[in-house]
Amino acid sequence: MYRNKYTGWLFLLPGFLGVLVFYLIPFLDVVRRSFTQAVGGKFVGFSNYQTVLTNQAFLLAAGNTLRFAAVCLPLLILISLGIAVLLRRVGKAAGFLKGAYLVPLSIPAASIVLLWKLMFDKQGMLNGLLSALGIPGADWMNTGASFGVLVFSYIWKNLGYDVVLWLAGLSMVPQQIYEAARVDGAGEWMCFLKITLPAIRPAAFTIVVISFLNSFKVFREAYLVSGNYPQDSIYLLQHLFNNWFRELSVDKMAAGAVLMALVIFGLVCMLQKSWDME
């Protein structure tokens, strides 16, 4: 009896220790550092947080990051769900199409950056095409259009992954329910609204959270294309933290990291609560 009671905890213990050592304890140290000076470790209260919240670079980066997530997430979720629903109807060709959508995940970030430069550089293919049509080009990655390029890159990179996750959720819906609904006269749109959407709500929450977290990974491409200080519209929090790291501004980094963690945790909790209430 004693052995059966604690066997499960013993299997969980190695994983819990790993999370504790590599995540929880370091984060607690970050929280501690957010209340101290970078040099000397003197306690300064909320001074670091005040400095961060009044920093123009932080406000620009935070605004761009939130805007990027607000634009990308709805587009990615809706497009991937639509493609997944269509693939469910394709039949045998669905396996090949799923593999095709997953190809961008296997492409290294450096290769994607090279494609960006070939397409959107001042002397790139897009400007060459526009020039042939008599339309003046631009240095696209140094204009406001760079934000659109970043959005496109994120959706292109993560579309296949979300499609596969949606397909996994759709596969859990019994086909007999659809057949019974059609016998009762329900159309395709009504089946989608009344059967498909309620059935995939648990999968939807997971996909939204994963897509939100993946939106922070787009920094790699933006950094390799534009360096530490890209065009203002794609200056993200990751750029800011990278610059603070180079300057050894540990106090600002710690305060900013705690603020980011609180915002992300709050957004996920709000999403979970709204999901449970529906």
Side-chain angles (χ1 to χ4, degrees):
M1 183 70 180
Y2 177 83
R3 180 182 299 177
N4 293 335
K5 182 178 180 181
Y6 293 100
T7 298
W9 289 104
L10 291 175
F11 279 106
L12 291 174
L13 185 60
F16 175 74
L17 290 176
V19 173
L20 181 68
V21 172
F22 295 106
Y23 290 96
L24 295 181
I25 293 178
F27 181 73
L28 291 176
D29 185 61
V30 170
V31 175
R32 179 187 66 83
R33 290 176 179 270
S34 70
F35 294 101
T36 62
Q37 288 182 342
V39 179
K42 180 182 177 182
F43 180 78
V44 293
F46 290 95
S47 177
N48 292 331
Y49 291 93
Q50 183 179 0
T51 300
V52 168
L53 291 174
T54 56
N55 185 289
Q56 293 300 316
F58 176 81
L59 297 177
L60 173 65
N64 286 338
T65 303
L66 291 175
R67 181 166 69 105
F68 179 79
V71 171
C72 288
L73 289 183
L75 288 175
L76 178 63
I77 298 302
L78 293 176
I79 294 173
S80 60
L81 177 58
I83 292 175
V85 171
L86 292 176
L87 286 179
R88 287 277 292 173
R89 301 174 179 275
V90 171
K92 295 182 178 180
F96 170 77
L97 293 174
K98 282 191 290 185
Y101 281 116
L102 287 173
V103 168
L105 286 174
S106 64
I107 301 177
S111 300
I112 297 176
V113 169
L114 179 61
L115 177 62
W116 279 25
K117 291 184 177 180
L118 287 173
M119 287 294 298
F120 301 107
D121 190 75
K122 192 174 183 179
Q123 305 298 327
M125 296 174 61
L126 179 58
N127 280 344
L129 177 62
L130 294 175
S131 178
L133 297 174
I135 303 174
D139 188 3
W140 299 103
M141 294 309 298
N142 288 314
T143 66
S146 57
F147 182 81
V149 175
L150 198 64
V151 169
F152 172 79
S153 175
Y154 167 79
I155 294 175
W156 174 74
K157 182 81 172 178
N158 294 277
L159 183 62
Y161 184 61
D162 279 19
V163 167
V164 172
L165 294 178
W166 281 123
L167 286 172
L170 291 170
S171 66
M172 303 301 293
V173 186
Q175 290 298 316
Q176 294 84 347
I177 300 178
Y178 291 108
E179 294 171 0
R182 293 189 182 99
V183 169
D184 291 337
E188 295 298 326
W189 181 245
M190 187 61 65
C191 288
F192 178 76
L193 290 178
K194 300 298 184 180
I195 300 175
T196 304
L197 286 182
I200 61 176
R201 283 183 67 244
F205 176 77
T206 302
I207 294 170
V208 170
V209 172
I210 291 176
S211 300
F212 175 66
L213 297 178
N214 283 338
S215 68
F216 290 94
K217 298 179 181 179
V218 77
F219 162 73
R220 297 172 300 177
E221 289 83 352
Y223 178 78
L224 290 174
V225 169
S226 305
N228 295 318
Y229 297 97
Q231 205 273 339
D232 283 354
S233 64
I234 59 172
Y235 186 73
L236 306 175
L237 282 171
Q238 296 92 320
H239 290 96
L240 179 66
F241 277 89
N242 183 69
N243 295 335
W244 280 347
F245 179 79
R246 289 189 305 106
E247 299 167 2
L248 298 179
S249 300
V250 180
D251 47 356
K252 290 190 288 187
M253 286 178 58
V258 173
L259 289 172
M260 280 186 59
L262 291 175
V263 170
I264 293 174
F265 180 75
L267 289 174
V268 172
C269 289
M270 289 174 58
L271 181 62
Q272 176 70 67
K273 185 176 181 180
S274 62
W275 229 264
D276 292 339
M277 290 176 62
E278 293 179 1

